[in-house]
Amino acid sequence: MRLRQLVCGASMLALGLGLASQAAAQAATAPDEVEEVVVTGFRQSLGAAIAVKRESVSSVDVIVAEDIAKFPDQNLAESLQRIPGISIQRDGGEGRAITVRGLSGQFTRVRVNGLEAIATSTDGASPNRERAFDFNVFASELFNSLVVHKTAEASLDEGSLGAVVDLNTGNPLAGKDGLTFVASAQGQYNDLSDNIGPRLAGLAAWRSEDGVFGASLSVAYSENDTLELGNNTVRWAQARFDSVDGVRCFTTQNSGGTYVPGAACNAAALAFHPRIPRYGNIGHDRERLGLTGSLQWAPTERTKVSFDGLYSRFRETRTEAWAEVLFRSNERAIDARNLTIDTATNSIIAGTFDDAWVRTENYKRKSQTEFYQLSFNASHEFTDTFRANVLGGVSKSDADIPVETTFVYDDRDAAGYRYDYTDARSPLLAFGTSVTDPASFQLAEIRDRPSNNTNKFRTLSGRVEWDMTEGVQFVAGGVYRRFDFDLEAYTRDTVVCPTRTTAGPDVVRSTITCTPSSVFGPTAVYGFAATQALSKTVNLGNAGQPTGTTTTWIIPDIDAAAALTGLYGRTAAPDTGNIRSVREEDTGGYLQANFKGEIGGLRYAANAGVRYMETDQSSTGLNNGVAVTVKRKYHDWLPAVNLALFPTDDIIIRAAASEVMTRPNLGNLTPGGTVDGFNYRVTFGNPNLDPFRAKAYDVGLEWYFAPQALASIAVFKKDIQSFPLGVTRTGTFASTGLPTSIINPSSPAASNVEGQAWTISTIENGTGGSLKGVELAIQAPFSFLPSFWSNFGGIVNATFVDSNVTYRVSGPATTPGGALPGLDVDSTLYGLAKRAYNATLYYEEGKFSARASIAYRSGFIDNASGTGNVFEGYNSSVNVDASVKYRVTEQLELSIEGINLTDDYRDRYVDKQANRAYENNHFGRTIIFGVRYRM
């Protein structure tokens, strides 16, 4: 609530400064002329944001709505990418998660109306089960400002190495007297899906004439269907083939026997090939509903009470239809010929294959995230120098996946399959078998993986402020917060015919006789016979494929296959690694002193303080099928100092230093895993992981060289004490913190727990690393230009970041079929792009306005990868958006906006040096057009 007042006041301040500056310039040249300057729309929102940044002691960046219920972008994440130091990741063509100064969303805390919250949805083929915040859950129309805190204060919530982001909804007491009504209706068109979906929003707000009562209600609803078309390799791997160019690589054909070394066989075995090369058609069917409500009461000028509520429902149906070859783990039976090996990357970039395991699959996932938050905020000024505030509330994010189903057709002896990755991002994939004929296939595998992930926050905090003197203020506060993370996942997965040495019935319906696994060729029975009634046809569309690529194939029809196999009637088995929970109770307080004044004629503002937090953590997971809970406590003292110097009224020098922390990844905290008491081996997560802790430093220079204009530079550095790493060590069972009750009672370790050293595979605190970077930004209206050109303006920023962390990864095998050696490799942090640029050119005159924006992000590593590839990540991306608006009357406005106008592809790779193709997909252009009415 106070933030909204600050934003409104700052907007008036920016407008006043602009008027004063322009009036002074005019007086110097034409004393008798007086011109009224009115700033509105996007330009006004930029001025309001600059004013908030200018008045802050710490380093903040702000995005403010152009008007009530009129956020300047269709997506919150896409708005945030305009801020220096922030990059975004997209899912299904939409901005979803953010990276701040090289630190991923895991290290960014998000608050909604002042209360920490986590909203989770799904990313690609997997859900978000961590602390990162999914911005695509919310409709942007529900919010009126975003504030990004880049440096820490003692009074600012802990838990961030990157930034604290505040999302703020409405404030009816800051509006006009009486009734305000706003409504918008838009259509969203995607040129790949050729579909138009509605986007509707409305807001009603009321304030009493005496300013005592205020109320508002907003609603936003949208539907959109988009397509994602492209190819995927599911990584690259090394493996030994059955034969190479007619030379047998094993003493027996297809299975068994021993490997026969030779030049051709060895070269193929040590080179990397795609594990599952494929093209696919992916559909995203999304629906959003959002509601906000606010009641405010200000019985006196010194007292204000607010009740705020936010509800959001995000539904998505994701479908995937693939045609592929399953090289993965089946190379032993496959004959390879006409191979082309790229020696620079050690990759088999082309070849023809017989006895190939051809597969088509149909995947469908239904997901729904429901988020709600209820909050209470009360403030009172007891005297002119003493005031207090109480904030409390609850939030819940319930991410449910009731259906995650896959059905698979296999043809396990196809001849003449060919791939060519000479153009790595647009490969040729051609099937030697008829992938449109049901007689070629058998329904071989069925899967369903329902899950639920629920996050809850309960928060109560209090704060008091005492103005000891005009230039000294003390702030003290306390906070209690409880966070609950609960994950449950189950599986109905099975193959129709399991691996066996003799013939036997299928394990789904017991209606067919499966042949032994050693049988190859047309007589092999490994699934139900595919039929036309059981199938549907897929046409790929424009996925960037070259001529000669197979673009039509059949897949199992999910409804028909589910009816045949009784999939949804099967008992779901626990997915033990994904049944876990974490509870954290955070209790603490802070003391902060705020200063302002002059020293030797130099004006300054500063704050300094310390925050103390104690974390009481309880982690539960399944180990050997038994629920295990491990509890621990830790505490942090987090000092922070921010200083702003004002050499002139238009120049600010900033400096900050602090100690910050982020609590460990939720997936690493589980005590779940396995205990092998026969071989004295333990594999589990680590509920005793330390938080990520770092020392952060920041220095900046800002020059407000004209009204609504800013040029700035900031230099930052973070010394990170530790990063979790997977390790295998020897030690005592007691050192794991696990209870002895989970040891198999028939194993030797049950009676002699410490009879020998245990081999322990887990996650432990690593050696840490460093991060440093520079942010450059400039924005200004082009008011210095003559006539028509003065209506233009621009925003440009650039961020350069580097880091160094040592990771433990697996490298490539050096002998055919050999183990993957462990390597210690120095690299950047996951998710860190070394360069990011953003630019916006805008035009505003009277009733007409237009904007065009471009965002560039350089490539970055994203994970440790596997199968001998050293890291995986994304290559650089460029997104171009534009919008045009025309105000027909004071109440009515027309608009059209284009998103991803260049149809940029998402280019993912494996292996940092070889840059082998992982996936290359595009999502098409989205055009949004509509009308907005305000009363």
Side-chain angles (χ1 to χ4, degrees), residues 116 141 227 250 388 570 707 777 798 864:
E116 184 176 353
E141 293 91 341
L227 279 181
F250 287 85
R570 294 176 61 86

Side-chain angles (χ1 to χ4, degrees), residues 792-814:
F792 284 92
I795 308 168
V796 179
N797 65 66
T799 305
F800 305 91
V801 190
D802 199 4
S803 65
N804 186 69
V805 177
T806 300
Y807 295 98
R808 185 72 175 177
V809 299
S810 296
T814 56

Side-chain angles (χ1 to χ4, degrees), residues 56-73:
S56 175
V57 176
S58 58
S59 177
V60 302
D61 283 289
V62 184
I63 297 175
V64 180
E66 299 179 41
D67 195 359
I68 189 169
K70 188 183 178 185
F71 208 74
D73 290 90

Side-chain angles (χ1 to χ4, degrees), residues 649-721:
D649 290 340
D650 297 327
I651 294 178
I652 303 176
I653 301 172
R654 300 188 188 276
S658 61
E659 294 188 16
V660 293
M661 60 87 80
T662 291
R663 294 178 175 89
N665 295 359
L666 296 169
N668 290 339
L669 288 176
T670 177
T674 59
V675 173
D676 179 0
F678 294 93
N679 296 298
Y680 285 79
R681 292 181 178 275
V682 178
T683 301
F684 75 122
N686 187 351
N688 293 305
L689 276 179
D690 289 335
F692 300 88
R693 295 186 172 104
K695 295 181 179 179
Y697 309 95
D698 195 282
V699 177
L701 174 65
E702 299 165 6
W703 177 31
Y704 298 84
F705 56 90
Q708 301 166 347
L710 165 66
S712 66
I713 179 172
V715 180
F716 54 89
K717 186 176 188 294
K718 298 181 189 292
D719 292 325
I720 305 169
Q721 294 180 16

Side-chain angles (χ1 to χ4, degrees), residues 310-330:
L310 169 64
Y311 171 81
S312 181
R313 187 189 69 204
F314 175 49
R315 290 175 174 168
E316 180 182 21
T317 298
R318 178 187 175 101
T319 57
E320 301 179 12
W322 299 99
E324 60 202 26
V325 163
L326 197 69
F327 284 106
R328 182 198 66 194
S329 303
N330 297 312

